[in-house]
Amino acid sequence: MTNRVIAIDGPSGSGKSTVSRAIGQKLGFLHVDSGALYRIVTWQGLLHGVDPNDAAAVAAFAGRLAVEMTAVDGAVRFSVGGVEPGDAIRTAEINAAVSPVSKVPEVRAKVTAWLRDLRRLGDLVVEGRDIGSVVFPDSPARFYLDAAPEERARRRHLEEQAKGLPKQDREAVMASLLNRDRIDSSRAVAPLKVAEGALVIDSTRMPIEEVVATVISHLPEEWREP
Ligand code: DC
């Protein structure tokens, strides 16, 4: 039997990471942050002098890039040449460059193939933008989390502060987030959108536990117990 996949899509700050980590822990599914793979391609590209707006150069670079993927403590961890990126993939520079990089069809094809291959490691809860629409459209467990932009910017800002990342004010966080939303939603290949048949959950005023409980209550019955 192929391993099971729970797909959690949505824009930045919609609560995907917190919710998908919590579900993974509760049910014993490995957590996969697909955005981290797009960020790793971007990070490595910048380190190697690739212009993120040069689609042909980005495509050629992504074709050569190897990423190691291993299951550790309930999540899939990524590294390049044995080095885990940590917060190096969460900087303002990566935030600005990752949307143009993730528009490149060859990059999307590569990340999609990586994600599908991860099923060999176990049951997965995968968060991203196109997981239910493109990567795992056959999964019976596909969700789309959303929240008002102000609330999403507030969450991202708190997250960045908690991580001790260089200070950006709330307006700057909001502008960068809205800009990524715009590029992610309008790109030609696999734009951010609600997959047909996915359940939409608006988390603007919902505590995280309630979002987690809502997702779990909509899973196939036999998936709900760890
Ligand atoms: O979730 P995140 O902010 O770490 O995602 C970073 C970028 O990667 C975001 O601009 C959109 C892109 N992305 C994507 O295109 N498809 C995914 N499945 C996940 C992320």
Side-chain angles (χ1 to χ4, degrees):
M1 190 191 85
T2 28
N3 284 317
R4 299 170 291 183
V5 176
I6 301 172
I8 311 240
D9 289 306
S12 314
S14 59
K16 294 187 305 282
S17 287
T18 317
V19 168
S20 47
R21 271 176 227 283
I23 289 169
Q25 269 173 8
K26 264 187 199 287
L27 302 181
F29 282 44
L30 288 168
H31 172 251
V32 180
D33 174 5
S34 67
L37 287 170
Y38 288 99
R39 288 174 180 273
I40 283 175
V41 175
T42 309
W43 168 61
Q44 283 294 310
L46 290 175
L47 280 178
H48 288 86
V50 175
D51 173 357
N53 292 303
D54 179 344
V58 170
F61 179 76
R64 297 191 299 271
L65 183 64
V67 177
E68 300 101 42
M69 311 192 194
T70 41
V72 182
D73 293 338
V76 178
R77 298 259 279 265
F78 308 121
S79 57
V80 177
V83 179
E84 285 197 23
D87 285 339
I89 57 168
R90 311 274 162 203
T91 63
E93 192 190 12
I94 304 284
N95 283 345
V98 66
S99 283
V101 167
S102 57
K103 271 199 319 196
V104 176
E106 289 84 352
V107 173
R108 303 210 67 82
K110 180 120 188 190
V111 173
T112 298
W114 278 334
L115 292 169
R116 290 183 180 151
D117 181 53
L118 285 176
R119 265 179 308 188
R120 71 191 152 78
L121 297 178
D123 292 326
L124 309 176
V125 51
V126 188
E127 58 164 297
R129 302 290 191 290
D130 63 339
I131 307 305
S133 55
V134 173
V135 185
F136 296 112
D138 296 335
S139 162
R142 294 172 301 129
F143 300 86
Y144 185 96
L145 299 194
D146 210 350
E150 297 73 21
E151 174 62 15
R152 296 193 287 111
R154 190 186 70 82
R155 293 175 187 170
R156 256 302 134 91
H157 188 229
L158 284 177
E159 237 171 69
E160 292 187 2
Q161 279 182 328
K163 285 195 177 130
L165 291 170
K167 269 203 180 12
Q168 280 199 87
D169 58 29
R170 183 98 67 88
E171 283 69 44
V173 173
M174 174 103 161
S176 144
L177 182 142
L178 289 179
N179 192 43
R180 270 178 292 148
D181 281 3
R182 187 181 53 74
I183 303 179
D184 295 344
S185 312
S186 62
R187 67 178 172 229
V189 184
L192 170 67
K193 61 166 193 208
V194 181
E196 222 182 290
L199 180 76
V200 180
I201 304 173
D202 185 331
S203 74
T204 309
R205 285 186 196 78
M206 262 194 190
I208 218 74
E209 306 76 53
E210 198 179 326
V211 181
V212 171
T214 307
V215 169
I216 291 181
S217 71
H218 286 85
L219 293 176
E221 205 171 330
E222 62 282 12
W223 294 23
R224 290 183 215 158
E225 296 298 326

